[in-house]
Structure formats: structure tokens, C-alpha cells
Amino acid sequence: MLKPKPSLGLLADLLDGLDIGLCVFDAEDRTLAWNQAFLYFFPEHDGFVHVGEHYRENLLRFYRTRLTSDELHYVEEYVASGIARHQAQTRPFEFEHRGTWLQVSAQTIPGLGRLRLWRQITREVESSPRPSAADLRIGAPDGIAAANADGRIVSANWQFGQLYGLPPGEAVGLTLESVVAQAWQNADSDAPAQLLAHLRESQRFAGAPFEVPLPGERWIRVIERVREGGERTGFHFDISALKREQVALRAEGAEARRSASHFRGIIEHAPAGMLVVDAEGRLVEANRAFRSALGDGADPVGRPLATLVLPEDADVLAEMVAEVRTLAAEGRGPAVREMRFPRRDGSPMWARVSAVRLHLPPNPAATLLQVEDITARREAERRIAHMARHDALTDLPNRTHFRERLDLLLRQGAGAILWLDLDRFKVVNDTLGHAAGDTLLCEVARRLRAALRSGDTIARLGGDEFAVLLDDGDPLAASQAAARLIAAMQAPVTVAGRSMHVGVSIGVVLVPCHGGDADTLMARADRALYGAKAAGRSTFRLYDPGMDEAVAEQHGLELDLRLGLERGEFELHYQPIVTAAERRVVCREALVRWRHPTRGLVAPAAFIPLAEATGLIDRLGTWILRRACCDAAGWADGTRVAVNVSAAQVRHGLLIAAVQSALRESGLAADRLEIEITESLLIDSEAADLLLALRRHGVRIALDDFGTGYSSLSYLRRFPFDAIKIDRSFIADIADPDTAAIVRAVVGIAAQLGATITAEGIETEAQLAAVRQEGCTEAQGYLFGRPVPLEDGLTPAQDAV
């Protein structure tokens, strides 16, 4: 006999009654059909699965409605991953979904397509008792009952009676509500009214699954299929074990959520940046401090950690991640590295990153990273390192950096050193002040750097000294570079509103021609520079071995100078200063001479600068003051004595003590001593205060060589000089109307201040007549007498000149 062919309606009811989710796709992955259990397992897909739609379109619609705006760019990635899993599945696998463990399998049906099946499974917990036989039956349709349009049962199988605790025959004629109420009465309890109302309500809807609680913590899930006439078939499943597992999973999930929430709260409010990365290297947490440090922008959660750091630091990050694994395996940690993260504005953020493994559900392989912003520290370290090797004023390499470059040049081979010193820089510094001098040095640095090639090194060694390193040892190339530097300084420089001309002198040495070590080369470059200055400045000189002899001569002269002070080889010569009208001697200027045993009489221009440079000027100046005061104390005519004072003596602060000592020892009246200074000292306020203190002691102060480069009529008004000496260069041109006008102006100011005016360098009667006409009160020059030693005698004829 042939089996009766089942109706399509009954077949659909049976498929929906299965406790197995089912979805069918054709050969082109278009959706054909699915059962009610599929939607029970995946209620989030209800309304999103369409017959005839490709699986890819289904996934696109699903993800687009569930991702945030910041995550939408990941849609294609998720869809591609889902399709790949869908097409590549060849064996069953298990996964957890909404607190329930499912096993999914796929089968290919020839001529139709693919069939995917989802079945509920339970996982045995080690601490739980072994499940009963009833628990193991989860997934099978335990009971089936057919009911008429009035909801009364017309037939039921044996399993249905077992589920509700009554013989199958007793169920016939009862409604499901009555069956459930009787099951509760058999357990000596009343069915909850809310449950019975829920059963009545549930049966009004066709095919909507519902769950029925029974005494003893038992649960039945019911899926009914209602046909056109109102008849219905109900499929009843014992889901008690599943419910217990769900309760355990919910409790576990709640605990995990509480831990995660607590952990997330700590991370979010931590003062340092905190990141959590999953096992695949994607960011799952990024706290407020980290987001703020990078700048407002898109949330980085969901991005691979490797995309957050600068590409050039990717290797550093990879090393740290590898070390984290090793340290975690050994029970040690953390791994620490420094790397850069790009901010939203494009600037890099330096960070010290500490990484440890986390063992928290649901990501047991997650990594926690603490990100400390050290940009300020890194920048400070960079500035400190830069400042240690660069000049603070000009930002050029300093002496230390220059020496490093020079040592490198010596290891590499040939090159050249240019040793530079500014000409007339001291005039600017002393006249306009140090701030103007700093401005000038910055402009000089800019010009010199612009005149060099990009590969050349220019450094400021200190003060107005610079040095240049060339990587070309050819003498012609070095000479051309020196010429460019000199030409760069020819144009005037405007400083403090004044146009100044400052040149540069350069000494040149070649590597390795002129030496094989840095110290020798720098010393010889300095000698070449000295030669350039001796040649007239604003020029350059290539080192010549003969320059060593000049240095040796200078060193010998310095030694002789020290010995000369010990041996008393110095003497004073005196030149008279007379009244312009009567030619009467009123003062004698003390001029020092050095009577060297082999060199003869050495002029001051040869040893005074050396004494200033070596610090011997204080000893020499003290001797001059003492000797001049002692000599003047014996002059019967009572004339004054004038002593020139070096600027170094005043700046060293020993002048007042030396003057007081000389006056005390000699017994000379203070008003007979006249201290001659140059205008450069008046720039220094401390020096001016010192001179004023001397004047309060009764010592006369004279301004010497007025008009020789520092001259400003304002000086005459700022300081109460007793005498002003007009430089011989003006007297030589006194016949020129312009020069005469200048002399006249100075005389007028001096008259208002009550100071005497001394004209220096008078050699002719015509010059004397001219200075008389302009109002000069005193005169000095060869016309009245040359400087002579005291032992030669001051004859009456000289006194009456």
C-alpha cells in the first residue's frame, strides 16, 4: 500500500514545530524559506529576511540598521566576513547567541541549494550534576496535541501526557488552559492567574511561540500552527534544562557585566589614557583621557590598534605586543615602550605606553594599555639637548657642537676651518649697550649663514667669535668662502635706529695640510686670524708657519712684561699742559715707558694692550698712580699731574683703592690729581658711579681723546667733567670750518659746565692761534714740549714755555 501523501499545511506545521532552526537558500544564495524556530533563535532577524533576496542584501540591511554612524564604514567588512563564513562552512560548529549555545551545520541539497540548521545544545558545567535523561532530550518535539476550532484537544500523544502529568486520553476534550491548571493542582498548587490569562491571550495569535511554567521549575515551550478552519496543532517541548542553563548564563553574564561596568568606569575616569585591545588587536575601550589627548574626533573604538600609531613607530608597537605575550606567559609585566600617536590636528603625541594582559570575561585574551602623554617631557628633552649644543642667542652650533663636527671632519678626510672675529663690534657694544650688541650678533649670524652652502657648518664660539667648517680642503674654495663672508658684512647694519659698519676678519687653515688634530688646527686658525687683523682687518689670511714665530714673540713679550714689573723696568715721562693764553704750565701728563734690557725703550702701544689682555694692567696701573703722585708731590710749582686710566682698571673695581693709597703715601692733595678716561667707560653705569665717587673725594676727572669714535655731546651733559681734551685729529683739521664749528660747540658746552678745554696735538703757532680763537683754555703738544723723564729735569725754560 502506498503511504498517504501528507498535506502541505501539515508539513509546514511540522517544520515550524521542530526545535531546530532552519533556513533554505538556492544555488545563488537567495533566501527560499525558514521556519518558526529560526526566528525564535534569532528574533533580531524577524522582519529582515525576505524571500528571494540575496544573502548579501539581507546582511547589508541588517547591519545598516544596527551600526552607529561612526561604525557604518565597517558594513562592507562585516558583510564580506559573513558571506565568507556562510560559503566556507563544511562542518558543524558551536557558538553562543543571546545567552544560548547553538550548533550550526550546513548541507547542500542537489537541485535546490544550501540548507542551514541551528540546534540548541547545553554545555556541562564541571560543578553541576550530570544531566538527567529528560534533560538530554532537549531539541526533540516531546508532545503533540491537535485541537479543534474551540481550542479543545481532540488527540494527543503519549509524550504530551508525560509533560503535563496525565494520561493522554484524559487530555481529550480539555483546553490547554485546563491541562495546565490540572498540572498545578496535581502538585498541590494553584496555577497563577496571570499564567492562565497569558495562555488564553497567547492562543488568540496564530503561530506565536509561548512558554508555560509548571511546578518543580519545569518549563514547556509551545509552538502552534493554526489552519484555515481554526483547527490547530501544538508542539510542546520540555525546555527546563535550557531554562536552568539560561538562568546560569544570565547570572554569569550579569556578573561579567557588573565587572565590565566597574572596570569600564575605572578606565573611563582614569587620569591617564587607557585602552583595551582584544585578541585580534582591535580597540574595544578607549577612555576619555585618551580621546581628549588626541583631540575631538571619531571614536577610535573598533579600529585596529596598529592604525592609531604613526607608521614609523609600527615596529615599536609590534615589539611591545610580542613582549606582552612573552611576559604574560612568564607571569611578569608590563611591557613598556615610547611611541607616537597622531593627533587630530596632525601633530604627534609622544606617549609612554605600558601594556599588560587582562584575564576578564568575555575577552580573556584582552590587553590593557596605559598611555601617558609625555610630549611636553620629550619636547623639553629635545630643547635641552638642542640648547646644550647650540648658542642661545643666535641658535648656531656652539663650541661643543663645533668640536664634534670638527672631529667628524678629521675622521672623514679633507676640509677647512675659517676662524672669524668681528671688527669694530666693541664700539657697538660699548656705545649702544649689550642689547644692541645682541641684535647685531643675530644679524651677523643670519648674513654669514646665508653666504655659506647648505652642507657647511657655522658656529658661534662666544662673544663676537665665529667659526666655519668646510668639507672642501681646496685652498681656492676656502679663500672664495672667506671672501663671500667678508662681502656679506660690507653692507651697513641698522641697530637701535643707527646705521653701523661692522666688518669681519678671518683666519683660514686647511685639513690635513695644516694639522691633524683639532687643538692644533684651532690654534693655528687663531694665529691666521691675528694675522688678518694685523693686516688691516676686514680681510682673511691663510695660515703660514711664520705666524708661529709671531705668536712665540707675543708669548715672549708677555713673559718679559711680567719680569719687567718685578725688575722695575718701567718709568714715567711727563709732557706739559699749558694755558692757551700765557703758555704757563698748569699740568703734566704722566706717560709710561718700558725700558727693556734688550728691546730698548718700548712704546705703550706695544705693551698696554698686552697688559690689559693678561690682567697685568692692575699692577702696572697701580704703580703708575703711585709713581706719578710721588713725583708730583715734589714739584715746587704745585702743578697738577694727569694719569691715563685703562677701562680694565675701572671695570675690575680696584681704581678707588689704588688712588686713595697713592694719595695717602705721597701726601699729594686730591685736587692735584687728574684721572683721564675715554668715553667708552661712560656706557657702563657702574663705571660712571665709580668715577663720580672719585670726584667726590676731590680728584679731577678729564675726558680724553674726545671725538674718536664714541663721541656724543650728550655725554658732556650727563657727566660733570673737570676737563675735556679734544683729540689731535680735530686740531690737525682746525682750519676746516666744519671742524672749527665742532670745536666751538664743545667749548660752548664745556663753558656752561665749568670745565676746562684742552686742545691736544698742538704743533704749530697757527694751530695755537686757532684754538685760542675758538675758546680753548689749555693746550698740549710738541709745540710746548715732548714727554721726558723726570730725571732729565723740568727746567725753568720748560716751565715758562
Side-chain angles (χ1 to χ4, degrees):
M1 294 179 60
L2 296 176
K3 293 183 179 180
K5 184 175 180 180
S7 69
L8 291 178
L10 180 59
L11 181 60
D13 288 347
L14 290 173
L15 290 176
D16 280 337
L18 291 176
D19 197 23
I20 298 175
L22 177 148
C23 195
V24 184
F25 304 88
D26 65 13
E28 296 180 359
D29 273 334
R30 291 191 293 263
T31 306
L32 296 179
W34 58 91
N35 70 347
Q36 189 67 32
F38 168 76
L39 295 180
Y40 182 81
F41 291 149
F42 306 102
E44 65 270 19
H45 285 282
D46 193 8
F48 287 93
V49 186
H50 295 176
V51 174
E53 183 179 56
H54 192 278
Y55 185 56
R56 182 180 186 279
E57 298 302 320
N58 177 273
L59 290 177
L60 277 174
R61 185 186 306 106
F62 175 76
Y63 283 123
R64 282 172 179 163
T65 59
R66 278 163 172 74
L67 296 179
T68 65
S69 59
D70 292 337
E71 297 172 321
L72 286 178
H73 59 285
Y74 294 114
V75 167
E76 292 296 337
E77 181 179 340
Y78 292 155
V79 169
S81 175
I83 292 175
R85 290 195 303 271
H86 170 75
Q87 294 177 344
Q89 182 181 351
T90 58
R91 63 181 62 185
F93 64 90
E94 299 173 1
F95 69 98
E96 189 224 11
H97 181 69
R98 298 171 62 85
T100 301
W101 280 95
L102 302 174
Q103 182 188 71
V104 59
S105 59
Q107 296 180 8
T108 300
I109 304 175
L112 180 60
R114 288 173 61 82
L115 174 68
R116 297 190 78 181
L117 304 170
W118 291 267
R119 185 172 64 86
Q120 268 188 345
I121 61 173
T122 58
R123 291 210 164 181
E124 183 175 348
V125 181
E126 293 181 1
S127 60
S128 301
R130 186 174 183 83
S132 64
D135 292 338
L136 294 176
R137 290 185 294 140
I138 296 300
D142 294 334
I144 301 177
N148 60 20
D150 294 331
R152 296 186 178 275
I153 297 173
V154 295
S155 65
N157 66 353
W158 179 81
Q159 287 87 348
F160 179 85
Q162 290 293 311
L163 289 176
Y164 293 98
L166 75 165
E170 293 185 11
V172 175
L174 300 176
T175 63
L176 180 60
E177 178 184 346
S178 300
V179 170
V180 172
Q182 186 172 335
W184 277 88
Q185 291 174 1
N186 291 340
D188 298 327
S189 298
D190 291 332
Q194 185 178 2
L195 168 62
L196 298 179
H198 176 66
L199 290 176
R200 290 192 296 270
E201 185 72 19
S202 297
Q203 289 184 318
R204 294 180 183 178
F205 299 95
F210 57 91
E211 295 178 351
V212 179
L214 295 177
E217 297 185 355
R218 294 176 57 236
W219 284 83
I220 307 297
R221 183 168 62 196
V222 181
I223 300 176
E224 290 188 327
R225 178 59 60 195
V226 180
R227 287 182 290 281
E228 291 182 1
E231 299 87 357
R232 64 182 64 204
T233 302
F235 303 90
H236 300 254
F237 304 88
D238 188 342
I239 60 171
S240 303
L242 178 62
K243 278 291 186 178
R244 287 193 295 273
E245 184 177 356
Q246 287 178 340
V247 170
L249 287 173
R250 278 195 296 269
E252 181 181 345
E255 179 61 28
R257 285 191 296 275
R258 280 194 297 272
S259 298
S261 176
H262 182 63
F263 180 64
R264 186 177 293 108
I266 293 174
I267 288 179
E268 180 64 17
H269 295 91
M274 304 291 285
L275 306 175
V276 179
V277 181
D278 63 17
E280 286 73 35
R282 290 187 179 277
L283 206 62
V284 295
E285 293 287 347
N287 72 343
R288 179 169 48 198
F290 180 80
R291 298 192 301 269
S292 176
L294 293 188
D296 296 333
D299 190 345
V301 171
R303 293 175 55 187
L305 178 62
T307 65
L308 295 181
V309 301
L310 289 181
E312 46 267 46
D313 287 348
D315 292 342
V316 178
L317 175 62
E319 289 175 2
M320 185 185 70
V321 171
E323 185 179 356
V324 168
R325 297 192 189 100
T326 303
L327 293 175
E330 298 174 355
R332 299 185 296 115
V336 181
R337 294 289 190 282
E338 292 185 359
M339 60 191 72
R340 289 164 293 177
F341 293 81
R343 291 191 176 98
R344 191 183 182 193
D345 61 7
S347 64
M349 179 188 79
W350 271 103
R352 182 180 185 270
V353 182
S354 305
V356 294
R357 273 298 176 89
L358 289 179
H359 299 283
L360 296 174
N363 297 302
T367 303
L368 173 66
L369 294 92
Q370 177 175 311
V371 182
E372 178 188 359
D373 186 350
I374 59 170
T375 306
R377 191 200 78 191
R378 275 279 191 159
E379 179 60 22
E381 291 174 351
R382 186 198 65 79
R383 287 198 302 269
I384 291 171
H386 183 84
M387 290 169 60
R389 301 171 69 247
H390 288 79
D391 173 53
L393 177 63
T394 63
D395 202 40
L396 293 177
N398 59 13
R399 186 180 292 271
T400 299
H401 195 180
F402 174 80
R403 182 60 182 264
E404 293 173 358
R405 295 283 185 91
L406 177 55
D407 290 339
L408 178 61
L409 179 67
L410 290 172
R411 290 194 297 270
Q412 290 177 343
I417 303 175
L418 278 60
W419 215 251
L420 290 71
D421 190 79
L422 300 183
D423 301 328
R424 296 181 297 279
F425 172 73
K426 188 175 184 299
V427 174
V428 177
N429 216 31
D430 290 345
T431 305
L432 302 179
H434 294 293
D438 289 347
T439 302
L440 174 61
L441 288 172
C442 291
E443 174 61 17
V444 168
R446 187 195 66 79
R447 290 191 185 186
L448 297 179
R449 185 158 34 195
L452 295 170
R453 300 171 303 180
S454 58
D456 299 332
T457 299
I458 178 170
R460 183 187 177 209
L461 305 181
D464 60 343
E465 296 180 0
F466 295 83
V468 172
L469 280 181
L470 308 177
D471 57 7
D472 191 343
D474 179 62
L476 178 59
S479 298
Q480 291 173 341
R484 289 198 304 272
L485 294 173
I486 292 172
M489 296 307 302
Q490 293 304 305
V493 180
T494 301
V495 180
R498 295 181 60 179
S499 182
M500 310 294 294
H501 287 270
V502 179
V504 62
S505 299
I506 304 175
V508 182
V509 294
L510 304 177
V511 180
C513 177
H514 294 146
D517 65 274
D519 292 334
T520 299
L521 287 166
M522 290 190 294
R524 290 178 174 173
D526 191 56
R527 292 168 198 168
L529 172 62
Y530 183 83
K533 285 184 172 292
R537 302 177 182 270
S538 291
T539 186
F540 70 91
R541 285 292 181 269
L542 191 66
Y543 169 76
D544 183 275
M547 294 176 178
D548 290 337
E549 298 177 3
V551 172
E553 172 70 15
Q554 189 75 359
H555 288 166
L557 187 62
E558 178 184 345
L559 180 60
D560 288 350
L561 182 62
R562 295 180 184 275
L563 293 174
L565 285 169
E566 297 292 337
R567 297 171 180 172
E569 296 175 355
F570 293 90
E571 58 187 49
L572 293 183
H573 291 193
Y574 294 94
Q575 185 178 28
I577 300 174
V578 303
T579 58
E582 302 91 1
R583 300 192 183 189
R584 177 173 54 85
V585 177
V586 292
C587 183
R588 295 181 180 88
E589 182 176 1
L591 302 170
V592 66
R593 298 291 186 267
W594 181 12
R595 195 170 295 279
H596 193 277
T598 59
R599 302 174 188 267
L601 198 62
V602 182
F607 64 86
I608 291 295
L610 181 61
E612 291 178 332
T614 57
L616 296 173
I617 191 64
D618 290 328
R619 290 177 57 190
L620 181 59
T622 299
W623 178 87
I624 293 172
L625 275 169
R626 185 181 295 113
R627 181 74 266 166
C629 288
C630 287
D631 288 345
W635 295 341
D637 55 10
T639 55
R640 306 189 308 271
V641 63
V643 178
N644 289 283
V645 173
S646 167
Q649 289 177 265
V650 178
R651 293 192 179 102
H652 293 170
L654 303 176
L655 182 60
I656 290 182
V659 168
Q660 290 176 335
S661 176
L663 292 175
R664 185 173 56 253
E665 291 178 7
S666 65
L668 184 69
D671 60 353
R672 290 183 59 195
L673 175 62
E674 188 171 283
I675 299 296
E676 293 190 2
I677 66 164
T678 57
E679 295 168 67
S680 62
L681 277 173
L682 299 180
I683 301 297
D684 190 337
S685 59
E686 292 183 4
D689 293 341
L690 186 148
L691 294 172
L692 285 171
L694 281 176
R695 196 169 186 273
R696 286 194 294 269
H697 281 83
V699 177
R700 289 170 57 88
I701 306 296
L703 180 61
D704 194 16
D705 298 332
F706 182 80
T708 56
Y710 298 90
S711 298
S712 171
L713 294 179
S714 63
Y715 293 157
L716 305 182
R717 306 179 68 87
R718 286 165 47 193
F719 193 90
F721 291 104
D722 297 289
I724 299 171
K725 303 182 73 173
I726 300 176
D727 187 68
R728 65 181 65 249
S729 61
F730 286 90
I731 305 306
D733 295 333
I734 193 68
D736 180 74
D738 293 336
T739 303
I742 294 174
V743 173
R744 191 179 311 118
V746 174
V747 170
I749 294 176
Q752 292 182 1
L753 299 175
T756 60
I757 295 293
T758 303
E760 296 182 300
I762 302 296
E763 298 182 358
T764 67
E765 293 292 345
Q767 290 174 341
L768 178 60
V771 299
R772 280 177 178 169
Q773 181 179 350
E774 299 302 338
C776 292
T777 54
E778 295 180 356
Q780 181 180 6
Y782 288 169
L783 181 62
F784 315 110
R786 294 176 178 270
V788 295
L790 184 63
E791 51 267 26
D792 287 355
L794 302 176
T795 65
Q798 289 175 313
D799 291 341
V801 173

